[in-house]
Amino acid sequence: MQPEEIMMRGYSGPKKEGNKFGLVIAMGILLFIAAIAGVVFGVYEMMARNSEVEEAKAECAKAVEAAKGTGCTDTKEVKTISKEVARSLIKPYIGTFNYLNSVFEFGLTDEAKVEIAYQNVRPSNITTSESNGVITYTVSYSGLNEAYKRLFKLSTSMPKQNYSVSHGDSFEYVESGNSFKVTPFNGGGAGSGMFTVVKSADYTDDGLVVEVYHDVLPTCEVAAEDKDEEKEEKYCIEVSGSGIAESMDEYNVKTLIEKFTDDVPVYKMNFAFFDGHLVLSSVSKV
């Protein structure tokens, strides 16, 4: 073997080993770069997700802030209205038919609906005349029917017939004038009082339920005539003559309800939605 061949073989061996070592180093560098890239991508993805979470929180905060003052910050609050608003809602329906009797005593009959509608009819639809000292009221059918539909069911018109509430007003339909001749109930009394105050008001799936404390009871002056019990222990209303309370703050109503909670009658007034507003659909004693 020639010296040149020996030299060539001796040189070619170390060159191949050097290439393998360089390849290993190159692969190591590539793997290291890939690992760094993976870490960077992971950090970026985490930051992106955190950003999305923060954006969602910000949107939620904006929604809650916008809902403040509307009663929509809590599921229970969404379904509950204030007693003041509920009082305004029930007010057209709780007027007395005669001396301290109302829809709670009579029930929501057709006659009671007409009486309630008459109490809420526009004054321009009522005319008054007097003959021999007798006052006669005439209310147009259109005016009474408008109030009837507004307070009860918009799709139902009031039948053209006579109506009369026991010990209350009577309505005689006069076809020639398409109106009702109204004969008011003449009666009165003293020594009693009435309260009708809101206990609670909650929305339902199809309307609203208002529970009210309601009762007709003797005045404390009358109750005090019974010497067997002390005045403060009696179930009575502190008003002279007679009176009607529609708020807890009137007379001694709040104290009365707190003291006789289990004995005070409670009535449920169910309201349903018709054409965007609430109308009374039923009344029942709880």
Side-chain angles (χ1 to χ4, degrees):
M1 182 177 294
Q2 295 297 322
E4 292 82 3
E5 292 180 3
I6 295 174
M7 289 177 67
M8 289 293 295
R9 289 183 181 181
Y11 180 75
S12 62
K15 185 177 181 180
K16 290 182 180 180
E17 291 296 328
N19 289 342
K20 289 181 180 180
F21 181 72
L23 181 61
V24 170
I25 293 175
M27 290 180 64
I29 292 172
L30 290 175
L31 290 173
F32 178 77
I33 293 173
I36 293 297
V39 172
V40 171
F41 180 79
V43 171
Y44 173 80
E45 185 178 13
M46 181 180 69
M47 292 177 65
R49 289 181 180 178
N50 287 341
S51 177
E52 291 177 359
V53 170
E54 291 303 319
E55 289 179 5
K57 287 181 178 179
E59 290 298 322
C60 182
K62 289 180 182 179
V64 171
E65 184 66 26
K68 286 183 178 179
T70 65
C72 298
T73 57
D74 182 82
T75 302
K76 180 61 178 177
E77 291 180 0
V78 168
K79 294 186 177 181
T80 302
I81 66 173
S82 70
K83 291 182 179 180
E84 289 74 17
V85 173
R87 188 191 312 165
S88 298
L89 178 64
I90 70 172
K91 187 174 179 60
Y93 302 95
I94 61 176
T96 57
F97 294 178
N98 48 46
Y99 178 64
L100 299 185
N101 282 283
S102 63
V103 66
F104 302 105
E105 283 71 38
F106 286 98
L108 195 61
T109 62
D110 290 339
E111 290 76 13
K113 289 180 179 179
V114 172
E115 176 68 35
I116 293 171
Y118 178 62
Q119 293 177 358
N120 290 275
V121 75
R122 303 181 194 282
S124 58
N125 291 306
I126 300 176
T127 59
T128 305
S129 60
E130 183 178 351
S131 177
N132 298 324
V134 179
I135 299 177
T136 301
Y137 300 93
T138 300
V139 57
S140 66
Y141 173 81
S142 60
L144 192 58
N145 186 53
E146 185 275 332
Y148 180 92
K149 294 171 69 176
R150 171 166 45 88
L151 292 167
F152 298 103
K153 191 175 181 180
L154 295 176
S155 60
T156 302
S157 293
M158 185 180 64
K160 296 180 178 181
Q161 62 185 45
N162 297 338
Y163 299 90
S164 179
V165 177
S166 178
H167 299 292
D169 300 333
S170 62
F171 303 82
E172 179 185 354
Y173 179 69
V174 181
E175 186 174 0
S176 59
N178 192 28
S179 61
F180 288 93
K181 176 184 176 181
V182 183
T183 302
F185 173 76
N186 294 318
S192 297
M194 172 191 286
F195 61 82
T196 304
V197 299
V198 175
K199 178 185 178 184
S200 63
D202 298 280
Y203 282 107
T204 62
D205 292 337
D206 56 358
L208 183 76
V209 172
V210 180
E211 288 193 348
V212 299
Y213 293 111
H214 169 82
D215 204 1
V216 178
L217 64 167
T219 65
C220 292
E221 291 179 353
V222 172
E225 296 176 2
D226 186 353
K227 305 300 183 181
D228 295 335
E229 298 180 54
E230 295 295 330
K231 178 180 177 180
E232 59 268 20
E233 295 179 351
K234 288 185 176 295
Y235 183 63
C236 59
I237 187 166
E238 292 180 353
V239 58
S240 298
S242 63
I244 301 174
E246 297 178 6
S247 167
M248 288 277 194
D249 300 324
E250 297 180 75
Y251 310 123
N252 62 323
V253 174
K254 183 177 181 180
T255 301
L256 197 66
I257 291 175
E258 290 175 348
K259 191 172 183 179
F260 297 94
T261 302
D262 296 334
D263 300 318
V264 177
V266 176
Y267 292 82
K268 182 183 293 185
M269 304 178 73
N270 291 294
F271 290 84
F273 282 107
F274 284 99
D275 196 30
H277 75 278
L278 291 162
V279 297
L280 185 63
S281 58
S282 67
V283 174
S284 59
K285 191 172 183 179
V286 177

